[in-house]
């Protein structure tokens, strides 16, 4: 610490939780007012806020910075999502711009907002990453189960998609994964593919879970991301799935219709793209909700820009999201952007065909389906929630609003009701009781 | 307090949070060791644990007791879900058995487990209630949108269903809701129905949200309950839905096929029942997971029994759940119970038909669909999670397990890979690098 130029700027990348506190304590003991500590871990944002509070009296400035990029990001530059006081960011920016991945939209770093906001943006990035991965897995499952595509064909399809609107790191590595042969200990390639040897149990590290919990906390619907978390959970229950599988057919094989392979591939491409739009719409809404409640200055267009390189969800598609939020910084939902709306309309017949087909055949497509259900729900001016409110008023006197006049209303549901248990008896006294209603 | 027989047993029913603390403080000041305070509110269970800790040094025994029943439960007896030390329950039981709703399976009260467990069981009860209400709303929407059923027909259908396997309080009040005419201020009945006048924005009070957050925390998939929470959230965004609706058709009207009304009603009945089984399977798994982690002595068969009367989800169906857990107290999932499995197999063609139809036509059925996707996922021995693990290993070196040998493995995915960016160059050094792999 003593050797560093003042004000000192120290980036730590250690395991989230206690190790971060211990490292900060050791560093801070040798630091002085104006110095900065940047935590680059996947930290739960309230922990970052608490650390900032603890360091504040000493004048040490704390930065919670999301970092995405995995092994490749470590070598070629990651996407950096720092949250801190604006002037602390200004002091760090020259260094961070050099460390970050470089794209045709600039280096993948921006001021993500105040302390905590950087961790939040990274958390949602990871939730979106869960969604993207689950959507790709479902496309794989449908192609393999319905048409028996082999790994070479799958690899070609994802490579082809990677040249168009789906261009992204995850689609690219998917094509590469399907091309990878298994290798014996001797070093000799086998005829098998690694992907076929991998056990279907996934791990996870917490950020997807946090995203789902935060979405519930902020009253933001994020069903695509939630379905991806659920599938991580269900995949891990391998033994329970095997026991359940023994009681049921694996798929409804008799229901599998003749499907043209080229048409199915084209349908899946559009379905994946539309489902992705809905998933990103959920994630962006979550960031916006947290920013509003925490008074964070988060620029959603900038979030999309810095995700364009370095990080796991990097994709051409993010240019579109950036443009949508540049056109309309307060856009409540990506589905309200005219360009995305038109793309969804274009994809809709394909997307519906994919989900109906998979549902008919019994192939799980929870994320493709959750996105579609999300779209169906938010594009509907009138939902059957009137019945839900009626039920809540019936059993709990929770009251309801009306479509024809303002105010809160409560109904005595079993008065004026031919189905009331004592309707016959009540009919006599109906006039009196209804007047009191 | 001074007038009460010792040991004193005081039940408080005040608003959760600070009012509970204030009431406890006032009461405890006049109480002594061995006295009991029973909090009957919808409390977040860690708050109950903290209150128990605070009262422990003074020897005052604290009980967190879930109470369900709404207005009717208050008059005719609710379902009571107390969590506390066993001997505290024994001291309270004679009174609670008299207060509780009475059914042919006994009074709706049992020892739900240690402190906190009663609040937890009530929380999950409410999550399940959200799911049931959303499923019923979707059935209503499908019948109304696809076949234009009027309220009299809807009322008759739910009344009919209430005489069979779907018999339940929520189905019963749904039939009564559809029968209720709107009444003018003068007291005169109109030709309109109240349900049609209710704004489609739902409220909520927190227990559904907690259930979803806890499910994520405990790694339990609860997609049906989560979809119901999402629809509460989306329903409240009325203005955003209206703006989105302006950009898209409300439903895919051109895709609505000729459907026989009787067949559709029969299909929906089976779909609702099967979706309910999946939703309850999720809720029971969540209780079991929390019981295991908190070392709570929760008897799932008893939970089902005390929900049979008094509470909002009371239903004939709960006898079946009770029987399943009596047959096999450690049943990991209701789907593994032979009777439920056989009912799901029976319902499956109908359920698939409903969801494919609604998806094709663009009618949102998120809960019916989430239950079906859940079933499809857990009954599948092999999921595409192998690809997800491959991706995680590719970008983050997270390692994977194999199907053919034990251990943790990592692959250098771009070695031995014809799609590696430098495949041609790598081919020369392939033998050496693979040996090191």
């Amino acid at each position: 610490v003593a050797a560093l130029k003042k004000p000192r700027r120290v980036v730590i990348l250690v395991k989230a939780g206690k190790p971060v506190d211990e490292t900060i304590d050791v560093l801070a003991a040798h630091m002085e007012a104006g110095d900065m500590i940047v935590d680059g871990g996947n930290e739960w944002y309230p922990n970052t806020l608490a650390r900032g509070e603890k360091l504040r009296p000493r004048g040490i400035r704390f930065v919670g910075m999301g970092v995405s990029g995995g092994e490749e990001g470590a070598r070629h530059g990651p996407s950096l999502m720092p949250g801190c006081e604006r002037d602390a960011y200004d002091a760090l920016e020259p260094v961070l711009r050099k460390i970050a991945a470089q794209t045709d939209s600039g280096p993948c770093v921006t001021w993500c907002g105040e302390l905590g906001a950087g961790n939040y943006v990274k958390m949602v990035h990871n939730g979106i990453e869960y969604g993207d991965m689950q959507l790709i897995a479902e496309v794989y499952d449908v192609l393999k189960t319905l048409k028996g595509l082999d790994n070479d064909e799958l690899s070609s399809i994802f490579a082809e998609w990677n040249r168009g609107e789906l261009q992204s790191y995850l689609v690219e590595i998917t094509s590469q994964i399907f091309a990878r042969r298994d290798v014996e200990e001797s070093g000799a390639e086998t005829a098998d593919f690694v992907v076929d040897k991998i056990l279907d149990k996934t791990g996870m590290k917490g950020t997807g879970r946090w995203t789902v919990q935060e979405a519930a906390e902020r009253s933001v619907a994020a069903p695509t991301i939630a379905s991806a978390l659920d599938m991580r959970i269900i995949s891990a229950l391998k033994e329970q799935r095997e026991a359940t599988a023994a009681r049921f057919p694996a798929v409804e094989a008799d229901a599998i219709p003749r499907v043209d392979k080229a048409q199915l591939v084209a349908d899946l491409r559009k379905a994946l793209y539309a489902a992705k739009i809905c998933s990103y719409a959920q994630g962006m809404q979550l960031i916006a909700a947290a920013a509003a409640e925490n008074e964070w200055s988060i620029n959603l267009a900038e979030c999309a820009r810095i995700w364009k390189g370095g990080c796991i969800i990097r994709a051409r598609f993010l240019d579109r999201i950036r443009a949508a939020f540049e056109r309309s910084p307060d856009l409540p939902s990506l589905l309200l952007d005219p360009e995305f709306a038109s793309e969804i309309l274009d994809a809709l017949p394909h997307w519906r065909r994919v989900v109906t087909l998979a549902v008919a055949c019994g192939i799980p497509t929870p994320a493709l389906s959750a996105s579609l259900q999300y779209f169906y729900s938010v594009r509907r001016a009138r939902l059957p929630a009137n019945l839900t409110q009626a039920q809540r008023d019936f059993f709990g006197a929770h009251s309801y609003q009306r479509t024809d006049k303002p105010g809160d209303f409560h109904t005595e549901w079993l008065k004026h009701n031919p189905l009331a248990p004592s309707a016959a008896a009540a009919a006599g006294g109906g006039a009196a009781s209804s007047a009191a209603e």
Side-chain angles (χ1 to χ4, degrees), chain A:
Chain A
V1 172
L4 293 176
K5 197 177 125 190
K6 296 179 188 177
R8 300 175 182 94
R9 291 165 291 184
V10 178
V11 179
I12 60 176
L13 274 160
V14 297
K15 200 172 146 59
K18 211 173 160 215
V20 176
D21 288 314
E22 290 169 353
T23 309
I24 290 172
D25 286 346
V26 170
L27 283 171
H30 303 279
M31 293 174 101
E32 57 197 67
D35 290 346
M36 282 171 239
I37 299 176
V38 183
D39 173 22
N42 270 332
E43 189 54 89
W44 176 229
Y45 76 96
N47 295 345
T48 292
L49 295 176
R51 288 176 188 137
E53 279 305 314
K54 199 175 155 195
L55 291 170
R56 190 181 320 252
R58 306 204 26 217
I60 297 172
R61 287 183 290 175
F62 189 58
V63 181
M65 181 171 76
V67 178
S68 177
E71 293 198 324
E72 201 181 316
R75 292 174 59 200
H76 304 294
S79 174
L80 299 172
M81 298 159 241
C84 54
E85 289 164 15
R86 175 75 219 198
D87 64 339
Y89 176 73
D90 291 338
L92 289 165
E93 192 182 39
V95 180
L96 297 181
R97 286 175 68 94
K98 282 180 197 152
I99 299 171
Q102 309 294 319
T103 73
D104 56 12
S105 312
C108 292
V109 63
T110 193
W111 182 53
C112 279
E114 291 73 7
L115 194 64
N119 299 107
Y120 205 93
V121 169
K122 174 58 173 26
M123 176 193 81
V124 175
H125 163 284
N126 284 26
I128 288 173
E129 173 189 315
Y130 273 53
D132 279 353
M133 292 168 73
Q134 177 59 28
L135 288 168
I136 291 172
E138 293 174 15
V139 167
Y140 160 48
D141 199 10
V142 170
L143 284 170
K144 191 173 170 183
T145 307
L146 275 188
K147 300 302 295 182
L149 263 59
D150 64 28
N151 291 319
D152 285 330
E153 290 175 290
L154 289 163
S155 180
S156 300
I157 288 167
F158 281 96
E160 169 62 27
W161 289 0
N162 198 44
R163 289 187 278 274
E165 75 287 354
L166 287 170
Q167 183 283 321
S168 61
Y169 174 67
L170 283 168
V171 166
E172 179 190 355
I173 70 169
T174 300
S175 75
Q176 292 165 333
I177 284 168
F178 286 122
R180 178 60 157 83
R181 298 273 172 176
D182 201 15
V183 175
E184 286 177 359
E185 281 180 33
S186 69
E189 276 190 24
T190 71
D192 298 330
F193 292 88
V194 179
V195 70
D196 294 327
K197 301 292 179 185
I198 296 180
L199 188 67
D200 54 330
K201 286 172 78 165
T202 49
M204 56 177 171
K205 300 214 157 180
T207 43
R209 184 198 312 275
W210 294 341
T211 308
V212 169
Q213 291 175 320
E214 267 292 311
E217 188 66 31
R218 312 260 162 226
S219 289
V220 173
T224 312
I225 297 170
S227 74
L229 176 69
D230 284 341
M231 291 311 289
R232 296 268 179 120
I233 292 168
I234 290 173
S235 82
L237 302 173
K238 178 83 174 170
E239 294 68 28
Q240 190 175 313
R241 284 192 283 115
E242 284 174 337
T244 314
R247 297 197 175 276
F248 300 99
V251 291
E252 274 58 48
D254 59 306
I256 298 182
R258 288 183 180 276
V259 190
D260 178 70
K261 195 200 284 186
Q263 181 65 57
L264 182 64
V265 172
D267 285 348
L268 281 164
R269 177 180 185 153
K270 299 266 189 182
L272 177 54
Y273 187 69
K276 240 175 107 90
I277 295 173
C278 290
S279 181
Y280 282 67
Q282 297 160 26
M284 295 319 245
Q285 256 188 1
L286 178 55
I287 294 176
E293 289 180 36
N294 292 298
E295 299 185 347
W296 287 333
S297 320
I298 302 184
N299 180 323
L300 295 178
E302 276 289 281
C303 285
R305 185 187 68 73
I306 66 169
W307 289 343
K308 227 193 103 181
C311 64
I312 306 298
I313 65 170
R314 63 184 182 265
R316 179 180 299 171
F317 168 70
L318 286 156
D319 281 337
R320 316 290 312 279
I321 297 181
R322 175 190 173 193
F325 284 111
E326 280 178 351
R327 278 191 289 276
S328 173
D330 296 322
L331 190 69
S333 165
L334 288 180
L335 302 180
L336 284 167
D337 177 71
E339 288 198 16
F340 280 122
S342 125
E343 288 184 320
I344 284 191
L345 269 177
D346 166 63
L348 193 50
H350 307 272
W351 193 11
R352 286 157 55 203
R353 201 149 53 211
V354 163
V355 177
T356 49
L357 183 64
V359 168
C361 304
I363 302 168
T365 50
L368 285 166
S369 173
S371 270
L372 186 57
Q373 295 288 347
Y374 176 80
F375 168 69
Y376 283 165
S377 303
V378 297
R379 65 104 177 243
R380 202 116 186 274
R382 176 91 180 159
L383 286 171
N386 55 316
L387 175 60
T388 308
Q389 278 302 79
Q391 290 169 330
R392 296 181 74 239
D393 188 60
F394 193 125
F395 65 68
H398 291 296
S399 84
Y400 58 84
Q401 294 174 278
R402 289 177 63 109
T403 55
D404 57 354
K405 49 189 174 186
D408 288 313
F409 298 87
H410 169 60
T411 289
E412 296 290 332
W413 289 92
L414 293 177
K415 286 185 190 162
H416 297 280
N417 196 320
L419 292 191
S422 53
S433 59
S434 66
E437 194 177 14

